[in-house]
Amino acid sequence: MSQAEANKAGSGLVSPRDHDAFLLRLWRRVSARDSLVGRLIRLASAWFIFALVLTGIVLTTYFHEVTMHRFQERVGQIADSLYSVTDIDPEGIDTSRFVDARASIIHSGLYWQVGMVDGQGQISAPVTSRSLWNEQLPLPPEVLAQARAHSGTSVFYDGTGPVGEPLRVAVIYSMVDQHAYVFMAGEDASPVAHDVRTFALLTAGALFILALGSLAAIFIQVRVGLRPLFDLTDEISHVQGGFQQRLTKTYPAEIRPVARQLNAFLDYAQEVVERQRMHVGNLAHALKTPLSVLMTAAREEGAGDADGPLPETVRKQAETMRAQVDHHLRRARAAARSQAMGERTPVEPVFDELAVMLEQVFQDKGVIIDWRVPDHLAFRGERQDLQEIAGNLLENACIWCKRQVRINAEFHADVQMLDMSIEDDGPGLDAARFDEVLKRGARLDESVPGSGLGLSIVDELVRAYGGALHLDRSGMGGLKITARLPANLLAD
């Protein structure tokens, strides 16, 4: 065969599967609203993320409260110590016995003061720590009123230090010699706020890592838990694609009845198809035998009576009836076979066989058939039907071509179909006649022998398999006919 081996060597099918495509499929499955995996993962993830966020808020709040409580106790202890060691007499306020090294450093963050409160609630002539320098701790009126109500115990409020730092201040109100005095101690709360922020960030980071690990665990758990359902789906796809005829894996008890029912349905469908085939065969035998008898009798009668037109009429009509019977029986067989699952036919050997045969048939015309078919491509149907579809189209192209016929087969993985295009360099056909030539009995040229059923048979066979036939002008100048048929790839 001319160019056949070169065409085979040059043909191929590239099926890339990279990491990005896997992540895209994974995201589509997780985000799909009708996906069971996506639904389980979304529900589990939403609840888990909510629980982690709530846990982070509770832990941070608890740490803040505990830290601030201890910090406040420390400030209160400083105020109590100041209150205990301070001497007040007519000569003035003596705080010499209160010693704290931090209070001796200017703006160190630890401050104290002792002063008498006048009738207007103002502190007069206060004694302050060196750390305050020339500043005083403010005493809001509401805090003074609260301290007066709880005389002798610490009352706390949030204030501002001499350099604008946030302070936690403890105030003790006390009456000495009929005069009101306040003992105040405050400390910078910035380190506490920093510790709380650090704890919140560390907690958020730890919970985020925990969330990622937990989401991965949820995904793995769902995938592993639903693995039998995925296996069932894969097996059903293999049955539909013709890779197997029944479900063969062992499934858990929860979905085992479904697998059994599916196998029972497949067995029933196969039985129905076989029954249809048997009925079609019986009908073919019942109709074709009487027609053959009629044709034989007509020929014998015509031989005995050369002047009688009846035998010739009977013979022609019987031939037409037999052609029509063959056509409809072929269509019925194709419809029955298209319902069967598990049928697959490699495309390449069929084209190789047809090309060799037709090049020999049309060798006087010098026909050259150039064909290209992807490796491992399989038609999801019976070999006989593929031979009839491709054979009719290829023979029609050889009849009308000048010399060149080209065949291309392209596989579409997204729809699991193949487009089989056959084109020639002949005179072609007007676009207005495309629909006409697909009608039963229509012929491109009455001078060419034939019944006009070739393209009609192909069209109906293709439709029986859920495909379609498309006619167009060829780039070679003639007619281009494309048949779309169900297909898949053979395993390596």
Side-chain angles (χ1 to χ4, degrees):
M1 180 183 76
S2 58
Q3 299 186 6
E5 293 299 326
N7 294 337
K8 290 171 62 178
S11 63
L13 187 69
V14 179
S15 179
R17 294 184 178 181
D18 52 17
H19 183 64
D20 293 339
F22 169 76
L23 291 179
L24 180 60
R25 290 195 302 271
L26 178 60
W27 170 249
R28 287 176 178 174
R29 175 169 290 184
V30 171
S31 60
R33 300 182 66 87
D34 58 348
S35 170
L36 183 59
V37 173
R39 186 179 304 173
L40 291 175
I41 291 177
R42 288 195 299 271
L43 288 175
S45 301
W47 165 248
F48 193 76
I49 291 175
F50 171 77
L52 287 181
V53 170
L54 183 62
T55 300
I57 294 174
V58 170
L59 288 177
T60 303
T61 302
Y62 176 75
F63 180 80
H64 177 266
E65 293 298 326
V66 170
T67 305
M68 286 301 298
H69 178 71
R70 291 180 178 176
F71 176 69
Q72 183 171 282
E73 283 186 342
R74 187 173 66 195
V75 175
Q77 289 173 358
I78 296 174
D80 288 338
S81 177
L82 177 64
Y83 174 64
S84 300
V85 300
T86 299
D87 292 328
I88 300 177
D89 53 35
E91 295 181 358
I93 303 172
D94 182 11
T95 60
S96 59
R97 290 193 299 167
F98 180 77
V99 179
D100 192 311
R102 290 183 300 164
S104 301
I105 302 173
I106 298 175
H107 298 159
S108 64
L110 177 63
Y111 311 102
W112 59 262
Q113 72 181 23
V114 181
M116 185 174 65
V117 182
D118 59 20
Q120 287 74 34
Q122 301 297 320
I123 303 176
S124 60
V127 178
T128 62
S129 63
R130 179 178 175 79
S131 56
L132 277 173
W133 196 236
N134 294 322
E135 301 289 336
Q136 293 185 19
L137 294 176
L139 181 60
E142 63 274 12
V143 176
L144 176 60
Q146 186 179 5
R148 185 182 291 115
H150 299 83
S151 179
T153 60
S154 296
V155 173
F156 299 90
Y157 75 96
D158 293 322
T160 303
V163 291
E165 71 271 39
L167 297 180
R168 189 64 174 170
V169 182
V171 181
I172 299 177
Y173 180 90
S174 179
M175 294 295 296
V176 180
D177 296 332
Q178 304 300 316
H179 295 286
Y181 289 86
V182 288
F183 303 81
M184 303 173 61
E187 187 172 356
D188 185 5
S190 299
V192 177
H194 178 268
D195 291 343
V196 172
R197 286 196 301 271
T198 302
F199 177 82
L201 290 175
L202 291 176
T203 302
L207 292 178
F208 179 74
I209 295 174
L210 177 61
L212 291 181
S214 300
L215 291 178
I218 290 172
F219 177 77
I220 294 173
Q221 182 179 6
V222 171
R223 292 286 299 182
V224 172
L226 296 181
R227 182 72 258 176
L229 286 180
F230 301 143
D231 292 341
L232 181 62
T233 302
D234 292 340
E235 276 212 288
I236 293 175
S237 299
H238 289 165
V239 171
Q240 291 176 331
F243 294 97
Q244 61 189 72
Q245 294 185 344
R246 301 182 84 254
L247 306 179
T248 58
K249 292 186 178 180
T250 301
Y251 293 98
E254 290 79 5
I255 61 175
R256 196 175 301 147
V258 177
R260 283 200 297 264
Q261 291 298 322
L262 284 174
N263 274 332
F265 173 76
L266 292 173
D267 293 339
Y268 173 74
Q270 187 66 29
E271 181 183 349
V272 170
V273 170
E274 293 299 331
R275 195 182 303 130
Q276 289 178 347
R277 288 179 177 177
M278 182 182 66
H279 290 333
V280 169
N282 293 338
L283 181 60
H285 179 74
L287 291 177
K288 295 177 70 174
T289 300
L291 287 174
S292 298
V293 172
L294 282 175
M295 293 176 63
T296 301
R299 281 194 295 268
E300 292 176 353
E301 185 66 24
D305 184 9
D307 297 329
L310 181 60
E312 180 63 19
T313 301
V314 171
R315 184 183 62 80
K316 288 184 178 180
Q317 294 301 317
E319 287 179 350
T320 301
M321 291 173 62
R322 185 168 66 177
Q324 295 291 338
V325 168
D326 287 342
H327 164 67
H328 287 290
L329 291 179
R330 188 182 297 110
R331 180 181 177 184
R333 284 196 298 269
R337 287 194 291 264
S338 67
Q339 298 173 14
M341 297 184 180
E343 297 285 354
R344 286 196 306 166
T345 301
V347 175
E348 190 177 26
V350 173
F351 276 103
D352 194 2
E353 177 184 325
L354 290 174
V356 171
M357 180 186 68
L358 289 174
E359 280 188 341
Q360 292 177 352
V361 170
F362 292 92
Q363 61 181 346
D364 293 340
K365 192 175 181 180
V367 172
I368 298 176
I369 300 175
D370 179 14
W371 60 276
R372 301 177 186 275
V373 178
D375 295 336
H376 313 302
L377 183 60
F379 163 65
R380 283 195 283 124
E382 290 198 349
R383 181 184 179 90
Q384 177 183 347
D385 293 332
L386 180 60
Q387 287 176 327
E388 188 151 10
I389 294 171
N392 272 289
L393 295 179
L394 192 53
E395 183 180 8
N396 182 75
C398 290
I399 291 173
W400 292 99
C401 76
K402 296 176 182 178
R403 192 176 182 185
Q404 293 283 339
V405 175
R406 187 164 60 203
I407 307 170
N408 280 295
E410 182 181 3
F411 179 62
H412 301 281
D414 53 341
V415 293
Q416 294 290 295
M417 302 286 281
L418 72 89
D419 282 342
M420 179 178 64
S421 301
I422 298 177
E423 49 188 326
D424 60 74
D425 61 350
L429 184 67
D430 292 337
R433 298 193 61 192
F434 286 169
D435 293 334
E436 176 186 344
V437 297
L438 295 180
K439 296 178 181 178
R440 188 168 60 250
R443 296 168 61 184
L444 298 176
D445 191 342
E446 296 293 336
S447 64
V448 179
S451 62
L453 293 174
L455 292 181
S456 175
I457 290 173
V458 171
D459 185 48
E460 293 186 345
L461 279 175
V462 170
R463 290 179 183 276
Y465 277 98
L469 203 63
H470 178 72
L471 279 66
D472 199 357
R473 293 287 299 179
S474 168
M476 301 169 63
L479 180 65
K480 178 180 179 181
I481 303 180
T482 302
R484 172 160 285 200
L485 295 168
N488 55 30
L489 296 177
L490 298 169
D492 294 333

